Amino acid sequence: FCDKYALVEQNKLVGVGNPEQIVLEYETRMADNISRPKAVDNANRPGSGEFRVKKVCILNSSNQTVTSLKEGEEFSLEILYEQKKSVEKLVCGVSINDVNDISIIGPNTQESKFLLMPDELKSGDAIRAKFNNNPLSAGTYTVTIGLFNGNGINSPYDFYSKAASFKVLGRSRHGKVTTEPEWSIIKTSK
């Protein structure tokens, strides 16, 4: 019925365009005003502490830190960590969870056959999981990171629940979610 929408914010016209474009702009603006789930207490995370997650960033396809993405938009999770002690083996696991805390995507470096060589990793570097195709439907998601010794989930170095959160904007899609990220190390140290 309408072929143009108008977006008004605080009594000012901020956009006029096709309905899909204006609705997406509205959702993007609203995403910044939504309360995000809080991370668990940093000091009381489970794990032995040899490796510790410092920060998790959601990056868009331009490698900019964001709090919202569009459906289908390429994105990366960048995991900044500190190494407190030398370890023999390191596996990084990522869980992207929905608002009910159900894991939607859960890849890890061991299953992806991406070897993390702890003797080549330095504090200040980052582990990156790049998702070339965002299979997530519209909604709010949290990110949990586990750093393990490779002998299973019962021996974490660190387990950071709700380390970050983000929104996916767009029309809800339904279906099976499968994706394999590209893993890499981002060197920041010399």
Side-chain angles (χ1 to χ4, degrees):
F1 311 102
C2 291
D3 61 354
K4 283 196 177 186
Y5 278 17
L7 180 59
V8 177
E9 187 173 58
Q10 297 180 351
N11 296 322
K12 292 182 182 160
L13 183 65
V14 294
V16 175
N18 71 52
E20 198 168 295
Q21 172 192 4
I22 296 300
V23 168
L24 188 57
E25 177 64 24
Y26 169 78
E27 290 173 342
T28 301
R29 288 172 182 261
M30 293 306 295
D32 293 334
N33 297 325
I34 292 173
S35 63
R36 307 225 179 263
K38 300 291 182 210
V40 295
D41 181 3
N42 211 7
N44 296 318
R45 296 194 317 241
S48 58
E50 287 92 332
F51 269 83
R52 199 94 167 130
V53 176
K54 289 173 43 177
K55 185 177 180 181
V56 177
C57 298
I58 311 328
L59 305 175
N60 64 14
S61 57
S62 301
N63 288 327
Q64 297 169 318
T65 300
V66 295
T67 57
S68 61
L69 302 160
K70 295 176 190 165
E71 285 181 327
E73 180 181 6
E74 173 185 298
F75 73 100
S76 297
L77 299 176
E78 190 165 276
I79 302 126
L80 287 78
Y81 61 86
E82 61 184 336
Q83 182 178 3
K84 295 187 174 190
K85 196 171 158 185
S86 181
V87 298
E88 189 176 313
K89 192 172 183 183
L90 178 65
V91 173
C92 178
V94 169
S95 179
I96 298 177
N97 307 304
D98 68 9
V99 292
N100 297 313
D101 212 23
I102 295 172
S103 180
I104 304 299
I105 300 173
N108 70 58
T109 55
Q110 184 169 306
E111 288 177 356
S112 298
K113 297 186 178 18
F114 180 78
L115 297 176
L116 292 171
M117 307 303 289
D119 55 334
E120 295 176 10
L121 302 175
K122 306 288 183 242
S123 284
D125 291 347
I127 300 167
R128 184 175 287 179
K130 180 180 176 185
F131 296 85
N132 290 315
N133 178 16
N134 175 3
L136 301 169
S137 296
T140 302
Y141 297 89
T142 59
V143 178
T144 294
I145 304 296
L147 299 176
F148 301 94
N149 70 10
N151 295 327
I153 61 172
N154 294 326
S155 51
Y157 298 128
D158 192 15
F159 189 82
Y160 196 173
S161 180
K162 298 180 181 168
S165 63
F166 65 99
K167 278 199 62 89
V168 174
L169 308 172
R171 308 264 182 237
S172 290
R173 299 176 307 191
H174 302 284
K176 184 178 176 186
V177 174
T178 57
T179 188
E180 183 67 37
E182 291 178 17
W183 294 93
S184 61
I185 299 296
I186 308 303
K187 293 290 196 178
T188 57
S189 54
K190 304 230 177 211

